[in-house]
Amino acid sequence: MAPTGPAGLEDKPRPIVVSGPSGSGKSTLLKRLFDAYPDRFGFSVSHTTRSPRPGEEDGVAYNFVTKDAFKKLIDENGFIEHAQFGSNMYGTSVQAVKSVAEKGQTCILDIEMEGVKQVKKTDLNARFLFLQPPSVEILEKRLRGRGTDKEEDIQSRLAQAEKEIEYSKTPGVHDKIIINDDLEKAWQEFKEFCVPEESS
Ligand SMILES: Nc1ncnc2c1ncn2[C@@H]1O[C@H](COP(=O)(O)OP(=O)(O)OP(=O)(O)O)[C@@H](O)[C@H]1O
């Protein structure tokens, strides 16, 4: 019988999808994770149709491709997510995530709700973690406290947060939901999910 899951990746680290509203603490916790375990985790290399800047190496900074090659990959369902910024296209391919696992690293995908739905349609066999703010009111305080977002951005992030929290309640969507109330407590739970053997 054909094996389930990605061919040849059965014994490789499963990707971890980290999602959660903007301001829920994804960057904060991922930075800690990368600092604590520098070689264990990796990010996938995105595709882009823009030209490389001096010093940018193909396959390292980005996978630089032509518009035609990019469109072909879209038609072949090769992308988890893709978007256009200005005249250039950017995307995360399924193969780029597999390449991280092939190197023996756990690929971390920091993506939003639509991306989560897309990953579920692939054969990546990912594990899903949702980071939830204690409340929308506290989320608003944190977004303001961060001091990086304009007022209109804060409003649209909060509106989007309500949708993400609603979707996260769908049974079976996430393997783990962490409420980021106390940062140290959230970190312990985050670490346990991402590095399970250390806590077993
Ligand atoms: N448990 C916590 N208690 C208090 N403040 C927190 C906690 N976790 C994170 N923060 C603060 O909340 C703000 C938002 O966190 P962060 O930038 O990590 O969110 P994010 O999910 O990565 O957002 P985005 O998706 O917009 O990048 C930051 O200023 C961070 O320091």
Side-chain angles (χ1 to χ4, degrees):
M1 214 172 90
T4 51
L9 290 178
E10 294 82 5
D11 56 352
K12 298 291 184 198
R14 293 169 67 188
I16 295 177
V17 174
V18 179
S19 67
S22 170
S24 60
K26 302 181 297 292
S27 314
T28 305
L29 288 166
L30 284 172
K31 183 174 184 315
R32 270 206 193 194
L33 190 71
F34 275 80
D35 287 349
Y37 304 93
D39 303 321
R40 181 181 173 117
F41 299 96
F43 286 118
S44 59
V45 178
S46 299
H47 280 61
T48 183
T49 60
R50 82 153 164 76
S51 313
R53 300 191 183 119
E56 281 185 337
E57 203 181 317
D58 185 33
V60 180
Y62 279 102
N63 294 305
F64 294 100
V65 292
T66 62
K67 282 211 162 88
D68 282 347
F70 199 102
K71 283 181 188 146
K72 186 161 174 277
L73 206 51
I74 295 176
D75 293 342
E76 293 167 355
N77 288 322
F79 283 109
I80 293 167
E81 55 183 2
H82 61 88
Q84 181 148 359
F85 295 107
S87 58
N88 296 313
M89 301 172 90
Y90 296 82
T92 304
S93 75
V94 175
Q95 184 50 50
V97 175
K98 290 182 180 173
S99 298
V100 176
E102 281 159 10
K103 287 193 296 183
Q105 289 185 318
T106 302
C107 183
I108 301 275
L109 286 154
D110 173 355
I111 51 183
E112 47 73 70
M113 185 172 76
E114 293 309 319
V116 169
K117 293 178 186 169
Q118 290 303 114
V119 174
K120 289 191 173 287
K121 292 185 194 163
T122 70
D123 64 353
L124 285 169
N125 192 25
R127 301 167 66 224
F128 295 85
L129 171 69
F130 185 76
L131 209 55
Q132 189 181 309
S135 68
V136 176
E137 290 71 26
I138 291 177
L139 182 67
E140 183 168 1
K141 283 204 186 97
R142 287 187 189 164
L143 282 172
R144 289 192 199 289
R146 177 163 84 169
T148 54
D149 310 82
K150 284 184 279 178
E151 181 57 32
E152 66 211 56
D153 289 341
I154 290 176
Q155 292 310 327
S156 69
R157 282 168 202 266
L158 290 173
Q160 183 61 25
E162 309 252 15
K163 290 184 201 159
E164 299 232 359
I165 293 167
E166 208 44 51
Y167 173 66
S168 76
K169 292 179 185 157
T170 316
V173 165
H174 293 101
D175 297 297
K176 173 92 184 159
I177 294 179
I178 297 175
I179 300 174
N180 182 14
D181 186 353
D182 176 73
L183 185 59
E184 291 314 310
K185 195 167 154 285
W187 163 240
Q188 287 308 322
E189 287 183 56
F190 192 77
K191 195 170 62 170
E192 271 168 35
F193 184 83
C194 297
V195 192
E197 77 277 6
E198 281 205 0
S199 38
S200 60

